[in-house]
Amino acid sequence: MRGGIVCVVLLVGSGIVWVAEALQCEAVPGVLQKIDAGAGRVCGITEERRVVVFRDDSWVDLQASGDHVSVGPAGLWNVGVDGLVSKWFRKGWVQVNPAGNLIQIDAGGDKFVVGCNASHSIFCLNHRPALSYDGSGSVSWVAVPGELKYYSCGPVGCWGVNKLDEIHVKLGVSGNSCHGPEKWYRIPGSLSMVEVSTDGQVHGVNKHGLVFKRIGVSACNPFGSGWEHLRVAGLSKHVSYDHEVLWIICRNGEVQRCRFSEALSPE
Ligand SMILES: *[C@@H]1O[C@H](CO)[C@@H](O)[C@H](O)[C@H]1NC(C)=O
């Protein structure tokens, strides 16, 4: 992390401020399996396993089939239906030599990429190869110790879930050292997917289709303080958050674009 860590304690008068958040959602056209929002862009995988990007209120086909897609500070990355990785470079896709076949990828870290394969081994790519790879030569994936089926990174930490839906966090991961320290921290709760946004917010979905937000995550408190169940109409299967919008895919594939409206209520 560049610079120091700034902690802000918000005191209004002498009271504690409770932030009551209401989620306001609107339906977006289209039916998706997966979604990822990052660095101001939103992309997804359709029912037909096409990679699409959200542009002018509709989903534009990016001329690739995909199983998992991610967009963020490290660019736009796709895991094809064959498990092979490609990256959007200038005006099209370039194949990236595999780290084995992946099932999930995340470009949300500080210009590095992480992913998991079908046997839940974890891999990452440091920022230099992640950003500069142009399709020639090969990149050196780094094997990360541990087992996860979903892994996502943000500015203060990387969050993942394993096959038992247990939640694990790794701190001290950076673009120069995407491997990070050996230590994993276990977070109470159970999720089947978890996404860290570019601004460090953490959201996930559990196996019952309920959406959760980690409250209180900051550089000073990277683990946050608890899970808040977000009341969403119906059940969900995938979420992603960026630029104050929470994108939710419902069980039936419908896409919701949600915003938090904050109501400050001093006690
Ligand atoms: C996942 O990666 C591990 C470590 O490289 C490898 O042993 C395993 O065969 C891979 N699994 C798949 C399904 O590719």
Side-chain angles (χ1 to χ4, degrees), residues 205-229:
V205 179
N206 74 3
K207 64 171 183 240
H208 305 295
L210 304 180
V211 178
F212 291 87
K213 170 188 177 161
R214 190 74 185 168
I215 332 172
V217 178
S218 68
C220 304
N221 184 16
F223 304 121
S225 49
W227 293 108
E228 178 188 1
H229 170 212

Short mmCIF file of all heavy atoms in Angstrom, two decimals, residues 205-229:
data_model
loop_
_atom_site.label_atom_id
_atom_site.label_comp_id
_atom_site.label_asym_id
_atom_site.label_seq_id
_atom_site.Cartn_x
_atom_site.Cartn_y
_atom_site.Cartn_z
N VAL A 205 -22.69 -14.32 -1.46
CA VAL A 205 -23.97 -15.03 -1.50
C VAL A 205 -23.75 -16.38 -0.82
O VAL A 205 -22.73 -17.04 -1.05
CB VAL A 205 -24.44 -15.25 -2.95
CG1 VAL A 205 -25.74 -16.02 -3.00
CG2 VAL A 205 -24.59 -13.92 -3.68
N ASN A 206 -24.72 -16.79 0.02
CA ASN A 206 -24.56 -18.12 0.62
C ASN A 206 -25.32 -19.17 -0.19
O ASN A 206 -25.95 -18.86 -1.20
CB ASN A 206 -24.96 -18.10 2.10
CG ASN A 206 -26.47 -18.02 2.32
OD1 ASN A 206 -27.25 -18.04 1.38
ND2 ASN A 206 -26.87 -17.93 3.57
N LYS A 207 -25.22 -20.42 0.26
CA LYS A 207 -25.77 -21.50 -0.57
C LYS A 207 -27.29 -21.46 -0.63
O LYS A 207 -27.89 -22.09 -1.50
CB LYS A 207 -25.29 -22.86 -0.06
CG LYS A 207 -25.75 -23.23 1.32
CD LYS A 207 -25.37 -24.69 1.61
CE LYS A 207 -25.90 -25.10 2.98
NZ LYS A 207 -24.88 -25.51 3.91
N HIS A 208 -27.91 -20.70 0.27
CA HIS A 208 -29.37 -20.56 0.23
C HIS A 208 -29.82 -19.41 -0.67
O HIS A 208 -31.01 -19.15 -0.78
CB HIS A 208 -29.92 -20.35 1.65
CG HIS A 208 -29.51 -21.43 2.60
ND1 HIS A 208 -29.91 -22.73 2.45
CD2 HIS A 208 -28.70 -21.40 3.69
CE1 HIS A 208 -29.37 -23.47 3.43
NE2 HIS A 208 -28.64 -22.68 4.19
N GLY A 209 -28.83 -18.67 -1.24
CA GLY A 209 -29.20 -17.58 -2.13
C GLY A 209 -29.40 -16.25 -1.42
O GLY A 209 -29.95 -15.32 -2.00
N LEU A 210 -28.92 -16.16 -0.17
CA LEU A 210 -29.04 -14.89 0.56
C LEU A 210 -27.78 -14.05 0.33
O LEU A 210 -26.67 -14.59 0.28
CB LEU A 210 -29.22 -15.14 2.06
CG LEU A 210 -30.41 -16.03 2.43
CD1 LEU A 210 -30.50 -16.21 3.94
CD2 LEU A 210 -31.72 -15.45 1.89
N VAL A 211 -27.96 -12.74 0.23
CA VAL A 211 -26.85 -11.82 -0.06
C VAL A 211 -26.38 -11.17 1.24
O VAL A 211 -27.20 -10.72 2.04
CB VAL A 211 -27.30 -10.73 -1.06
CG1 VAL A 211 -26.16 -9.75 -1.33
CG2 VAL A 211 -27.78 -11.36 -2.35
N PHE A 212 -25.07 -11.10 1.42
CA PHE A 212 -24.50 -10.50 2.62
C PHE A 212 -23.47 -9.45 2.26
O PHE A 212 -22.77 -9.56 1.24
CB PHE A 212 -23.82 -11.57 3.49
CG PHE A 212 -24.81 -12.52 4.10
CD1 PHE A 212 -25.22 -13.64 3.40
CD2 PHE A 212 -25.35 -12.26 5.35
CE1 PHE A 212 -26.16 -14.51 3.94
CE2 PHE A 212 -26.27 -13.12 5.91
CZ PHE A 212 -26.68 -14.24 5.21
N LYS A 213 -23.37 -8.46 3.15
CA LYS A 213 -22.34 -7.44 3.04
C LYS A 213 -21.52 -7.48 4.32
O LYS A 213 -22.09 -7.60 5.41
CB LYS A 213 -23.02 -6.07 2.91
CG LYS A 213 -22.10 -4.91 3.02
CD LYS A 213 -22.87 -3.61 3.07
CE LYS A 213 -21.89 -2.46 3.25
NZ LYS A 213 -22.46 -1.20 2.89
N ARG A 214 -20.21 -7.39 4.20
CA ARG A 214 -19.36 -7.33 5.39
C ARG A 214 -19.35 -5.89 5.88
O ARG A 214 -19.00 -4.98 5.10
CB ARG A 214 -17.94 -7.79 5.06
CG ARG A 214 -17.05 -7.98 6.26
CD ARG A 214 -17.42 -9.23 7.03
NE ARG A 214 -16.63 -9.34 8.26
CZ ARG A 214 -16.90 -10.21 9.24
NH1 ARG A 214 -17.92 -11.04 9.13
NH2 ARG A 214 -16.15 -10.26 10.31
N ILE A 215 -19.71 -5.67 7.12
CA ILE A 215 -19.77 -4.31 7.64
C ILE A 215 -18.43 -3.93 8.24
O ILE A 215 -17.73 -4.76 8.82
CB ILE A 215 -20.81 -4.16 8.77
CG1 ILE A 215 -21.94 -5.16 8.62
CG2 ILE A 215 -21.39 -2.76 8.83
CD1 ILE A 215 -22.84 -5.14 9.81
N GLY A 216 -18.09 -2.66 8.11
CA GLY A 216 -16.95 -2.11 8.83
C GLY A 216 -15.59 -2.47 8.28
O GLY A 216 -14.58 -2.34 8.99
N VAL A 217 -15.51 -2.91 7.04
CA VAL A 217 -14.19 -3.23 6.48
C VAL A 217 -13.47 -1.94 6.13
O VAL A 217 -14.02 -1.06 5.45
CB VAL A 217 -14.31 -4.10 5.20
CG1 VAL A 217 -12.94 -4.37 4.61
CG2 VAL A 217 -15.04 -5.39 5.48
N SER A 218 -12.25 -1.80 6.61
CA SER A 218 -11.44 -0.62 6.29
C SER A 218 -9.97 -1.02 6.39
O SER A 218 -9.66 -2.12 6.84
CB SER A 218 -11.73 0.51 7.28
OG SER A 218 -11.26 0.15 8.56
N ALA A 219 -9.10 -0.10 6.02
CA ALA A 219 -7.67 -0.40 6.12
C ALA A 219 -7.29 -0.69 7.57
O ALA A 219 -6.40 -1.48 7.85
CB ALA A 219 -6.86 0.77 5.57
N CYS A 220 -7.98 -0.04 8.52
CA CYS A 220 -7.68 -0.25 9.94
C CYS A 220 -8.33 -1.52 10.48
O CYS A 220 -7.88 -2.06 11.47
CB CYS A 220 -8.18 0.92 10.76
SG CYS A 220 -7.53 2.47 10.20
N ASN A 221 -9.40 -1.93 9.86
CA ASN A 221 -10.12 -3.12 10.33
C ASN A 221 -10.43 -4.00 9.12
O ASN A 221 -11.57 -4.09 8.67
CB ASN A 221 -11.40 -2.70 11.06
CG ASN A 221 -12.13 -3.89 11.65
OD1 ASN A 221 -11.56 -4.98 11.77
ND2 ASN A 221 -13.39 -3.71 11.98
N PRO A 222 -9.38 -4.64 8.58
CA PRO A 222 -9.54 -5.34 7.29
C PRO A 222 -10.53 -6.50 7.34
O PRO A 222 -11.03 -6.91 6.30
CB PRO A 222 -8.13 -5.83 6.97
CG PRO A 222 -7.39 -5.79 8.26
CD PRO A 222 -8.00 -4.71 9.09
N PHE A 223 -10.82 -7.02 8.54
CA PHE A 223 -11.76 -8.14 8.63
C PHE A 223 -13.20 -7.67 8.79
O PHE A 223 -14.12 -8.47 8.73
CB PHE A 223 -11.40 -9.06 9.81
CG PHE A 223 -9.99 -9.56 9.75
CD1 PHE A 223 -9.10 -9.30 10.78
CD2 PHE A 223 -9.55 -10.30 8.66
CE1 PHE A 223 -7.79 -9.76 10.72
CE2 PHE A 223 -8.24 -10.76 8.60
CZ PHE A 223 -7.36 -10.48 9.63
N GLY A 224 -13.39 -6.36 9.04
CA GLY A 224 -14.73 -5.87 9.29
C GLY A 224 -15.26 -6.39 10.61
O GLY A 224 -14.53 -6.99 11.40
N SER A 225 -16.54 -6.16 10.86
CA SER A 225 -17.05 -6.50 12.17
C SER A 225 -18.24 -7.45 12.14
O SER A 225 -18.66 -7.92 13.19
CB SER A 225 -17.44 -5.22 12.91
OG SER A 225 -18.23 -4.41 12.07
N GLY A 226 -18.80 -7.74 11.00
CA GLY A 226 -19.93 -8.68 10.99
C GLY A 226 -20.56 -8.72 9.63
O GLY A 226 -20.23 -7.93 8.75
N TRP A 227 -21.48 -9.67 9.47
CA TRP A 227 -22.20 -9.80 8.20
C TRP A 227 -23.57 -9.17 8.33
O TRP A 227 -24.27 -9.39 9.31
CB TRP A 227 -22.37 -11.27 7.80
CG TRP A 227 -21.08 -11.94 7.46
CD1 TRP A 227 -20.42 -12.87 8.21
CD2 TRP A 227 -20.29 -11.74 6.29
NE1 TRP A 227 -19.26 -13.26 7.57
CE2 TRP A 227 -19.16 -12.58 6.40
CE3 TRP A 227 -20.42 -10.92 5.16
CZ2 TRP A 227 -18.17 -12.63 5.41
CZ3 TRP A 227 -19.43 -10.97 4.19
CH2 TRP A 227 -18.33 -11.82 4.32
N GLU A 228 -23.93 -8.40 7.34
CA GLU A 228 -25.28 -7.84 7.30
C GLU A 228 -26.02 -8.53 6.16
O GLU A 228 -25.55 -8.55 5.02
CB GLU A 228 -25.19 -6.33 7.03
CG GLU A 228 -26.55 -5.67 6.93
CD GLU A 228 -26.46 -4.21 6.46
OE1 GLU A 228 -25.35 -3.72 6.19
OE2 GLU A 228 -27.52 -3.60 6.36
N HIS A 229 -27.17 -9.10 6.49
CA HIS A 229 -27.99 -9.74 5.46
C HIS A 229 -28.73 -8.65 4.70
O HIS A 229 -29.45 -7.85 5.30
CB HIS A 229 -28.97 -10.72 6.12
CG HIS A 229 -30.00 -11.25 5.20
ND1 HIS A 229 -31.27 -11.58 5.58
CD2 HIS A 229 -29.94 -11.49 3.86
CE1 HIS A 229 -31.95 -12.00 4.54
NE2 HIS A 229 -31.17 -11.96 3.49
#
